[in-house]
PDB file of all heavy atoms in Angstrom:
ATOM      1  N   ASP A 100      -9.857 -14.969   5.334  1.00 92.00           N
ATOM      2  CA  ASP A 100      -9.721 -15.763   4.114  1.00 92.00           C
ATOM      3  C   ASP A 100     -10.591 -15.181   3.014  1.00 92.00           C
ATOM      4  O   ASP A 100     -11.764 -14.871   3.232  1.00 92.00           O
ATOM      5  CB  ASP A 100     -10.136 -17.226   4.355  1.00 92.00           C
ATOM      6  CG  ASP A 100      -9.113 -17.994   5.161  1.00 92.00           C
ATOM      7  OD1 ASP A 100      -7.948 -17.560   5.220  1.00 92.00           O
ATOM      8  OD2 ASP A 100      -9.486 -19.045   5.727  1.00 92.00           O
ATOM      9  N   GLY A 101     -10.010 -15.015   1.837  1.00 96.00           N
ATOM     10  CA  GLY A 101     -10.748 -14.512   0.694  1.00 96.00           C
ATOM     11  C   GLY A 101     -10.969 -13.016   0.678  1.00 96.00           C
ATOM     12  O   GLY A 101     -11.611 -12.488  -0.240  1.00 96.00           O
ATOM     13  N   ALA A 102     -10.459 -12.311   1.695  1.00 98.00           N
ATOM     14  CA  ALA A 102     -10.641 -10.852   1.746  1.00 98.00           C
ATOM     15  C   ALA A 102      -9.821 -10.169   0.662  1.00 98.00           C
ATOM     16  O   ALA A 102      -8.667 -10.525   0.437  1.00 98.00           O
ATOM     17  CB  ALA A 102     -10.220 -10.313   3.113  1.00 98.00           C
ATOM     18  N   PRO A 103     -10.387  -9.171  -0.002  1.00 98.00           N
ATOM     19  CA  PRO A 103      -9.610  -8.396  -0.971  1.00 98.00           C
ATOM     20  C   PRO A 103      -8.512  -7.623  -0.241  1.00 98.00           C
ATOM     21  O   PRO A 103      -8.757  -7.002   0.795  1.00 98.00           O
ATOM     22  CB  PRO A 103     -10.622  -7.439  -1.581  1.00 98.00           C
ATOM     23  CG  PRO A 103     -11.963  -7.954  -1.180  1.00 98.00           C
ATOM     24  CD  PRO A 103     -11.782  -8.734   0.070  1.00 98.00           C
ATOM     25  N   ILE A 104      -7.310  -7.693  -0.800  1.00 98.00           N
ATOM     26  CA  ILE A 104      -6.171  -6.999  -0.216  1.00 98.00           C
ATOM     27  C   ILE A 104      -5.652  -6.002  -1.249  1.00 98.00           C
ATOM     28  O   ILE A 104      -5.350  -6.374  -2.382  1.00 98.00           O
ATOM     29  CB  ILE A 104      -5.049  -7.979   0.180  1.00 98.00           C
ATOM     30  CG1 ILE A 104      -5.583  -9.094   1.079  1.00 98.00           C
ATOM     31  CG2 ILE A 104      -3.910  -7.226   0.865  1.00 98.00           C
ATOM     32  CD1 ILE A 104      -4.589 -10.221   1.321  1.00 98.00           C
ATOM     33  N   TYR A 105      -5.545  -4.750  -0.845  1.00 98.00           N
ATOM     34  CA  TYR A 105      -5.063  -3.680  -1.708  1.00 98.00           C
ATOM     35  C   TYR A 105      -3.681  -3.278  -1.218  1.00 98.00           C
ATOM     36  O   TYR A 105      -3.525  -2.875  -0.070  1.00 98.00           O
ATOM     37  CB  TYR A 105      -6.034  -2.494  -1.682  1.00 98.00           C
ATOM     38  CG  TYR A 105      -7.364  -2.880  -2.275  1.00 98.00           C
ATOM     39  CD1 TYR A 105      -8.346  -3.477  -1.497  1.00 98.00           C
ATOM     40  CD2 TYR A 105      -7.608  -2.709  -3.636  1.00 98.00           C
ATOM     41  CE1 TYR A 105      -9.553  -3.883  -2.056  1.00 98.00           C
ATOM     42  CE2 TYR A 105      -8.811  -3.112  -4.196  1.00 98.00           C
ATOM     43  CZ  TYR A 105      -9.769  -3.706  -3.401  1.00 98.00           C
ATOM     44  OH  TYR A 105     -10.958  -4.106  -3.967  1.00 98.00           O
ATOM     45  N   PHE A 106      -2.686  -3.423  -2.082  1.00 98.00           N
ATOM     46  CA  PHE A 106      -1.303  -3.125  -1.725  1.00 98.00           C
ATOM     47  C   PHE A 106      -0.895  -1.771  -2.269  1.00 98.00           C
ATOM     48  O   PHE A 106      -1.155  -1.441  -3.423  1.00 98.00           O
ATOM     49  CB  PHE A 106      -0.368  -4.208  -2.270  1.00 98.00           C
ATOM     50  CG  PHE A 106      -0.526  -5.524  -1.573  1.00 98.00           C
ATOM     51  CD1 PHE A 106      -1.334  -6.509  -2.108  1.00 98.00           C
ATOM     52  CD2 PHE A 106       0.132  -5.780  -0.380  1.00 98.00           C
ATOM     53  CE1 PHE A 106      -1.493  -7.723  -1.478  1.00 98.00           C
ATOM     54  CE2 PHE A 106      -0.027  -6.999   0.270  1.00 98.00           C
ATOM     55  CZ  PHE A 106      -0.845  -7.971  -0.274  1.00 98.00           C
ATOM     56  N   LEU A 107      -0.228  -0.990  -1.414  1.00 98.00           N
ATOM     57  CA  LEU A 107       0.169   0.379  -1.725  1.00 98.00           C
ATOM     58  C   LEU A 107       1.636   0.566  -1.367  1.00 98.00           C
ATOM     59  O   LEU A 107       2.071   0.124  -0.290  1.00 98.00           O
ATOM     60  CB  LEU A 107      -0.693   1.339  -0.890  1.00 98.00           C
ATOM     61  CG  LEU A 107      -0.417   2.821  -0.996  1.00 98.00           C
ATOM     62  CD1 LEU A 107      -1.217   3.401  -2.157  1.00 98.00           C
ATOM     63  CD2 LEU A 107      -0.823   3.513   0.297  1.00 98.00           C
ATOM     64  N   CYS A 108       2.392   1.206  -2.252  1.00 97.00           N
ATOM     65  CA  CYS A 108       3.757   1.615  -1.921  1.00 97.00           C
ATOM     66  C   CYS A 108       3.903   3.083  -2.283  1.00 97.00           C
ATOM     67  O   CYS A 108       2.913   3.812  -2.295  1.00 97.00           O
ATOM     68  CB  CYS A 108       4.786   0.721  -2.622  1.00 97.00           C
ATOM     69  SG  CYS A 108       4.802   0.838  -4.420  1.00 97.00           S
ATOM     70  N   ARG A 109       5.099   3.541  -2.595  1.00 96.00           N
ATOM     71  CA  ARG A 109       5.277   4.958  -2.934  1.00 96.00           C
ATOM     72  C   ARG A 109       4.733   5.271  -4.318  1.00 96.00           C
ATOM     73  O   ARG A 109       4.034   6.248  -4.525  1.00 96.00           O
ATOM     74  CB  ARG A 109       6.746   5.357  -2.849  1.00 96.00           C
ATOM     75  CG  ARG A 109       6.956   6.831  -3.194  1.00 96.00           C
ATOM     76  CD  ARG A 109       8.415   7.208  -3.305  1.00 96.00           C
ATOM     77  NE  ARG A 109       9.020   6.467  -4.396  1.00 96.00           N
ATOM     78  CZ  ARG A 109      10.239   5.936  -4.362  1.00 96.00           C
ATOM     79  NH1 ARG A 109      10.999   6.086  -3.310  1.00 96.00           N
ATOM     80  NH2 ARG A 109      10.704   5.265  -5.382  1.00 96.00           N
ATOM     81  N   SER A 110       5.090   4.396  -5.289  1.00 91.00           N
ATOM     82  CA  SER A 110       4.747   4.727  -6.672  1.00 91.00           C
ATOM     83  C   SER A 110       4.086   3.588  -7.444  1.00 91.00           C
ATOM     84  O   SER A 110       3.810   3.736  -8.629  1.00 91.00           O
ATOM     85  CB  SER A 110       6.000   5.183  -7.418  1.00 91.00           C
ATOM     86  OG  SER A 110       6.964   4.146  -7.403  1.00 91.00           O
ATOM     87  N   GLY A 111       3.832   2.460  -6.787  1.00 87.00           N
ATOM     88  CA  GLY A 111       3.142   1.362  -7.442  1.00 87.00           C
ATOM     89  C   GLY A 111       4.054   0.294  -8.012  1.00 87.00           C
ATOM     90  O   GLY A 111       3.646  -0.433  -8.919  1.00 87.00           O
ATOM     91  N   VAL A 112       5.268   0.167  -7.517  1.00 91.00           N
ATOM     92  CA  VAL A 112       6.192  -0.863  -7.988  1.00 91.00           C
ATOM     93  C   VAL A 112       6.338  -1.980  -6.950  1.00 91.00           C
ATOM     94  O   VAL A 112       6.093  -3.146  -7.250  1.00 91.00           O
ATOM     95  CB  VAL A 112       7.571  -0.259  -8.350  1.00 91.00           C
ATOM     96  CG1 VAL A 112       8.557  -1.347  -8.743  1.00 91.00           C
ATOM     97  CG2 VAL A 112       7.417   0.754  -9.476  1.00 91.00           C
ATOM     98  N   ARG A 113       6.739  -1.637  -5.726  1.00 96.00           N
ATOM     99  CA  ARG A 113       6.868  -2.651  -4.672  1.00 96.00           C
ATOM    100  C   ARG A 113       5.528  -3.324  -4.401  1.00 96.00           C
ATOM    101  O   ARG A 113       5.465  -4.514  -4.081  1.00 96.00           O
ATOM    102  CB  ARG A 113       7.391  -2.025  -3.377  1.00 96.00           C
ATOM    103  CG  ARG A 113       8.852  -1.637  -3.432  1.00 96.00           C
ATOM    104  CD  ARG A 113       9.264  -0.851  -2.214  1.00 96.00           C
ATOM    105  NE  ARG A 113       8.754   0.515  -2.336  1.00 96.00           N
ATOM    106  CZ  ARG A 113       8.916   1.456  -1.414  1.00 96.00           C
ATOM    107  NH1 ARG A 113       9.543   1.184  -0.277  1.00 96.00           N
ATOM    108  NH2 ARG A 113       8.441   2.668  -1.602  1.00 96.00           N
ATOM    109  N   SER A 114       4.456  -2.570  -4.550  1.00 98.00           N
ATOM    110  CA  SER A 114       3.131  -3.123  -4.284  1.00 98.00           C
ATOM    111  C   SER A 114       2.743  -4.197  -5.299  1.00 98.00           C
ATOM    112  O   SER A 114       1.994  -5.115  -4.959  1.00 98.00           O
ATOM    113  CB  SER A 114       2.081  -2.016  -4.232  1.00 98.00           C
ATOM    114  OG  SER A 114       2.176  -1.167  -5.351  1.00 98.00           O
ATOM    115  N   VAL A 115       3.250  -4.129  -6.520  1.00 97.00           N
ATOM    116  CA  VAL A 115       3.018  -5.205  -7.495  1.00 97.00           C
ATOM    117  C   VAL A 115       3.670  -6.481  -6.992  1.00 97.00           C
ATOM    118  O   VAL A 115       3.055  -7.557  -6.994  1.00 97.00           O
ATOM    119  CB  VAL A 115       3.556  -4.831  -8.895  1.00 97.00           C
ATOM    120  CG1 VAL A 115       3.596  -6.046  -9.808  1.00 97.00           C
ATOM    121  CG2 VAL A 115       2.706  -3.744  -9.522  1.00 97.00           C
ATOM    122  N   ALA A 116       4.921  -6.386  -6.553  1.00 97.00           N
ATOM    123  CA  ALA A 116       5.627  -7.557  -6.043  1.00 97.00           C
ATOM    124  C   ALA A 116       4.907  -8.149  -4.829  1.00 97.00           C
ATOM    125  O   ALA A 116       4.798  -9.369  -4.688  1.00 97.00           O
ATOM    126  CB  ALA A 116       7.072  -7.195  -5.690  1.00 97.00           C
ATOM    127  N   ALA A 117       4.397  -7.288  -3.957  1.00 98.00           N
ATOM    128  CA  ALA A 117       3.669  -7.760  -2.773  1.00 98.00           C
ATOM    129  C   ALA A 117       2.370  -8.454  -3.180  1.00 98.00           C
ATOM    130  O   ALA A 117       2.013  -9.498  -2.620  1.00 98.00           O
ATOM    131  CB  ALA A 117       3.377  -6.596  -1.834  1.00 98.00           C
ATOM    132  N   ALA A 118       1.658  -7.899  -4.154  1.00 98.00           N
ATOM    133  CA  ALA A 118       0.416  -8.517  -4.634  1.00 98.00           C
ATOM    134  C   ALA A 118       0.706  -9.872  -5.266  1.00 98.00           C
ATOM    135  O   ALA A 118      -0.045 -10.834  -5.080  1.00 98.00           O
ATOM    136  CB  ALA A 118      -0.286  -7.593  -5.629  1.00 98.00           C
ATOM    137  N   GLU A 119       1.805  -9.970  -6.000  1.00 98.00           N
ATOM    138  CA  GLU A 119       2.196 -11.249  -6.600  1.00 98.00           C
ATOM    139  C   GLU A 119       2.521 -12.281  -5.521  1.00 98.00           C
ATOM    140  O   GLU A 119       2.110 -13.438  -5.614  1.00 98.00           O
ATOM    141  CB  GLU A 119       3.386 -11.055  -7.536  1.00 98.00           C
ATOM    142  CG  GLU A 119       3.044 -10.307  -8.799  1.00 98.00           C
ATOM    143  CD  GLU A 119       4.248  -9.970  -9.656  1.00 98.00           C
ATOM    144  OE1 GLU A 119       5.386  -9.899  -9.131  1.00 98.00           O
ATOM    145  OE2 GLU A 119       4.046  -9.767 -10.872  1.00 98.00           O
ATOM    146  N   ALA A 120       3.248 -11.869  -4.488  1.00 97.00           N
ATOM    147  CA  ALA A 120       3.608 -12.791  -3.403  1.00 97.00           C
ATOM    148  C   ALA A 120       2.372 -13.256  -2.645  1.00 97.00           C
ATOM    149  O   ALA A 120       2.252 -14.434  -2.301  1.00 97.00           O
ATOM    150  CB  ALA A 120       4.601 -12.112  -2.453  1.00 97.00           C
ATOM    151  N   ALA A 121       1.455 -12.343  -2.379  1.00 98.00           N
ATOM    152  CA  ALA A 121       0.222 -12.706  -1.670  1.00 98.00           C
ATOM    153  C   ALA A 121      -0.588 -13.695  -2.502  1.00 98.00           C
ATOM    154  O   ALA A 121      -1.099 -14.696  -1.975  1.00 98.00           O
ATOM    155  CB  ALA A 121      -0.604 -11.461  -1.365  1.00 98.00           C
ATOM    156  N   THR A 122      -0.700 -13.437  -3.777  1.00 98.00           N
ATOM    157  CA  THR A 122      -1.451 -14.326  -4.661  1.00 98.00           C
ATOM    158  C   THR A 122      -0.805 -15.706  -4.699  1.00 98.00           C
ATOM    159  O   THR A 122      -1.507 -16.721  -4.611  1.00 98.00           O
ATOM    160  CB  THR A 122      -1.529 -13.724  -6.080  1.00 98.00           C
ATOM    161  OG1 THR A 122      -2.198 -12.459  -5.989  1.00 98.00           O
ATOM    162  CG2 THR A 122      -2.290 -14.631  -7.028  1.00 98.00           C
ATOM    163  N   ALA A 123       0.515 -15.753  -4.811  1.00 97.00           N
ATOM    164  CA  ALA A 123       1.229 -17.036  -4.843  1.00 97.00           C
ATOM    165  C   ALA A 123       1.018 -17.821  -3.557  1.00 97.00           C
ATOM    166  O   ALA A 123       1.018 -19.056  -3.566  1.00 97.00           O
ATOM    167  CB  ALA A 123       2.722 -16.800  -5.084  1.00 97.00           C
ATOM    168  N   ALA A 124       0.796 -17.115  -2.445  1.00 96.00           N
ATOM    169  CA  ALA A 124       0.566 -17.764  -1.145  1.00 96.00           C
ATOM    170  C   ALA A 124      -0.904 -18.118  -0.933  1.00 96.00           C
ATOM    171  O   ALA A 124      -1.275 -18.631   0.123  1.00 96.00           O
ATOM    172  CB  ALA A 124       1.059 -16.853  -0.021  1.00 96.00           C
ATOM    173  N   GLY A 125      -1.746 -17.826  -1.915  1.00 97.00           N
ATOM    174  CA  GLY A 125      -3.165 -18.155  -1.797  1.00 97.00           C
ATOM    175  C   GLY A 125      -3.983 -17.125  -1.052  1.00 97.00           C
ATOM    176  O   GLY A 125      -5.105 -17.409  -0.633  1.00 97.00           O
ATOM    177  N   LEU A 126      -3.454 -15.923  -0.892  1.00 97.00           N
ATOM    178  CA  LEU A 126      -4.170 -14.860  -0.193  1.00 97.00           C
ATOM    179  C   LEU A 126      -4.849 -13.944  -1.206  1.00 97.00           C
ATOM    180  O   LEU A 126      -4.438 -13.837  -2.345  1.00 97.00           O
ATOM    181  CB  LEU A 126      -3.199 -14.055   0.662  1.00 97.00           C
ATOM    182  CG  LEU A 126      -2.444 -14.851   1.723  1.00 97.00           C
ATOM    183  CD1 LEU A 126      -1.367 -14.002   2.361  1.00 97.00           C
ATOM    184  CD2 LEU A 126      -3.392 -15.401   2.762  1.00 97.00           C
ATOM    185  N   GLY A 127      -5.854 -13.246  -0.740  1.00 97.00           N
ATOM    186  CA  GLY A 127      -6.506 -12.270  -1.599  1.00 97.00           C
ATOM    187  C   GLY A 127      -7.828 -12.729  -2.132  1.00 97.00           C
ATOM    188  O   GLY A 127      -8.402 -13.655  -1.580  1.00 97.00           O
ATOM    189  N   PRO A 128      -8.325 -12.053  -3.126  1.00 98.00           N
ATOM    190  CA  PRO A 128      -7.645 -11.463  -4.265  1.00 98.00           C
ATOM    191  C   PRO A 128      -6.788 -10.253  -3.876  1.00 98.00           C
ATOM    192  O   PRO A 128      -7.147  -9.479  -3.009  1.00 98.00           O
ATOM    193  CB  PRO A 128      -8.783 -11.039  -5.200  1.00 98.00           C
ATOM    194  CG  PRO A 128      -9.962 -10.871  -4.305  1.00 98.00           C
ATOM    195  CD  PRO A 128      -9.785 -11.845  -3.181  1.00 98.00           C
ATOM    196  N   ALA A 129      -5.638 -10.157  -4.522  1.00 98.00           N
ATOM    197  CA  ALA A 129      -4.663  -9.119  -4.228  1.00 98.00           C
ATOM    198  C   ALA A 129      -4.604  -8.118  -5.373  1.00 98.00           C
ATOM    199  O   ALA A 129      -4.511  -8.496  -6.539  1.00 98.00           O
ATOM    200  CB  ALA A 129      -3.293  -9.746  -4.008  1.00 98.00           C
ATOM    201  N   TYR A 130      -4.662  -6.835  -5.020  1.00 98.00           N
ATOM    202  CA  TYR A 130      -4.665  -5.754  -6.002  1.00 98.00           C
ATOM    203  C   TYR A 130      -3.498  -4.802  -5.744  1.00 98.00           C
ATOM    204  O   TYR A 130      -3.110  -4.575  -4.599  1.00 98.00           O
ATOM    205  CB  TYR A 130      -5.963  -4.948  -5.913  1.00 98.00           C
ATOM    206  CG  TYR A 130      -7.192  -5.750  -6.214  1.00 98.00           C
ATOM    207  CD1 TYR A 130      -7.874  -6.404  -5.192  1.00 98.00           C
ATOM    208  CD2 TYR A 130      -7.661  -5.865  -7.520  1.00 98.00           C
ATOM    209  CE1 TYR A 130      -9.016  -7.159  -5.470  1.00 98.00           C
ATOM    210  CE2 TYR A 130      -8.798  -6.612  -7.808  1.00 98.00           C
ATOM    211  CZ  TYR A 130      -9.456  -7.256  -6.777  1.00 98.00           C
ATOM    212  OH  TYR A 130     -10.579  -8.008  -7.056  1.00 98.00           O
ATOM    213  N   ASN A 131      -2.993  -4.215  -6.805  1.00 98.00           N
ATOM    214  CA  ASN A 131      -1.984  -3.173  -6.739  1.00 98.00           C
ATOM    215  C   ASN A 131      -2.683  -1.824  -6.896  1.00 98.00           C
ATOM    216  O   ASN A 131      -3.466  -1.638  -7.823  1.00 98.00           O
ATOM    217  CB  ASN A 131      -0.966  -3.362  -7.868  1.00 98.00           C
ATOM    218  CG  ASN A 131      -0.048  -2.178  -8.015  1.00 98.00           C
ATOM    219  OD1 ASN A 131       0.554  -1.727  -7.059  1.00 98.00           O
ATOM    220  ND2 ASN A 131       0.040  -1.646  -9.226  1.00 98.00           N
TER     221      ASN A 131
END
Side-chain angles (χ1 to χ4, degrees):
D100 287 340
I104 307 170
Y105 295 86
F106 290 96
L107 177 87
C108 65
R109 180 188 63 220
S110 60
V112 176
R113 288 172 284 178
S114 50
V115 167
E119 290 173 337
T122 300
L126 301 171
Y130 298 91
N131 169 52

